[in-house]
Amino acid sequence: MAAVAGDLDSPLVHKDAFVAPGATLIQNVSVGEGSSIWYNCVLRGDVAGIRIGKNTNIQDATVIHVSSSKEGKSRIDTVIGDGVTVGHMALLHACTIEDHAFVGMKACVMDGAIIKTHGMLAAGALLTPGKTVGSGELWAGSPAKLMRKLSEKEIKNIYSSANDYADLAKQYQNGSIKEAPRSSL
């Protein structure tokens, strides 16, 4: 899993990453090569850090934040690995998402929770503080609980999703997909 050591005074975005207009990255945030941050996302690394690895996609309107203790003595970063898909309108707070994991649309991952490599959190699920989605597991519900093991096809789809979004981001970067100019709206 990729991570950048140390604190950042301003976001660090790899030159081959895509950050859509309207996305907001604040202070201690790093975004790896080939990753994409889509429209209206907010990544707020104000009291701790946010690290996003390579080829990861953070889809529209997702909010990512971090945590610190009330005394300010400890902090919890949000760390997201390589090849991760985070669905639209997800909320990630002071958690760890390992390489090639999947977070469904409108899912919420709370402080200290972990989604292991090849783990999947279903759309709309609430992963409560300190819980761990194991490798190859599907968790769903509110609060989320283990539903079943993922099939090999479902695990392959995690890779496909990350690759498809990396390709889509490249199309936006090279101008193949165009937005309406703001003045014409």
Side-chain angles (χ1 to χ4, degrees):
M1 213 163 34
V4 176
D7 290 335
L8 300 171
D9 291 328
S10 62
L12 177 63
V13 178
H14 191 279
K15 66 179 179 63
D16 293 327
F18 171 71
V19 178
T24 303
L25 283 62
I26 299 167
Q27 198 163 339
N28 193 355
V29 175
S30 68
V31 179
E33 178 182 0
S35 288
S36 54
I37 313 299
W38 293 88
Y39 298 92
N40 300 315
C41 288
V42 176
L43 284 64
R44 190 159 60 96
D46 49 4
V47 296
I50 297 170
R51 305 290 172 258
I52 297 171
K54 298 177 184 175
N55 233 31
T56 286
N57 62 92
I58 309 298
Q59 295 175 16
D60 310 66
T62 290
V63 174
I64 302 175
H65 195 223
V66 292
S67 185
S68 67
S69 71
K70 291 183 176 154
E71 297 81 32
K73 294 180 183 173
S74 66
R75 57 185 227 175
I76 304 172
D77 294 339
T78 296
V79 180
I80 303 169
D82 298 339
V84 172
T85 292
V86 177
H88 308 283
M89 298 178 68
L91 171 60
L92 307 181
H93 197 270
C95 60
T96 300
I97 315 297
E98 293 185 355
D99 296 342
H100 309 291
F102 185 96
V103 177
M105 291 183 274
K106 286 194 171 184
C108 178
V109 183
M110 302 209 37
D111 298 44
I114 300 169
I115 300 177
K116 295 284 197 176
T117 297
H118 300 154
M120 181 179 285
L121 183 64
L126 171 63
L127 190 61
T128 54
K131 296 290 184 186
T132 298
V133 174
S135 181
E137 294 179 351
L138 168 64
W139 284 47
S142 183
K145 62 182 180 179
L146 175 63
M147 302 309 271
R148 62 177 172 80
K149 293 296 260 180
L150 293 172
S151 69
E152 287 300 316
K153 182 178 180 187
E154 289 168 321
I155 291 171
K156 286 180 184 174
N157 286 342
I158 293 172
Y159 287 82
S160 297
S161 177
N163 291 333
D164 290 348
Y165 262 87
D167 291 343
L168 184 62
K170 287 176 189 169
Q171 292 177 49
Y172 276 81
Q173 287 173 305
N174 70 24
S176 298
I177 297 176
K178 303 199 184 320
E179 292 182 70
R182 300 283 180 225
S183 60
S184 69
L185 297 177

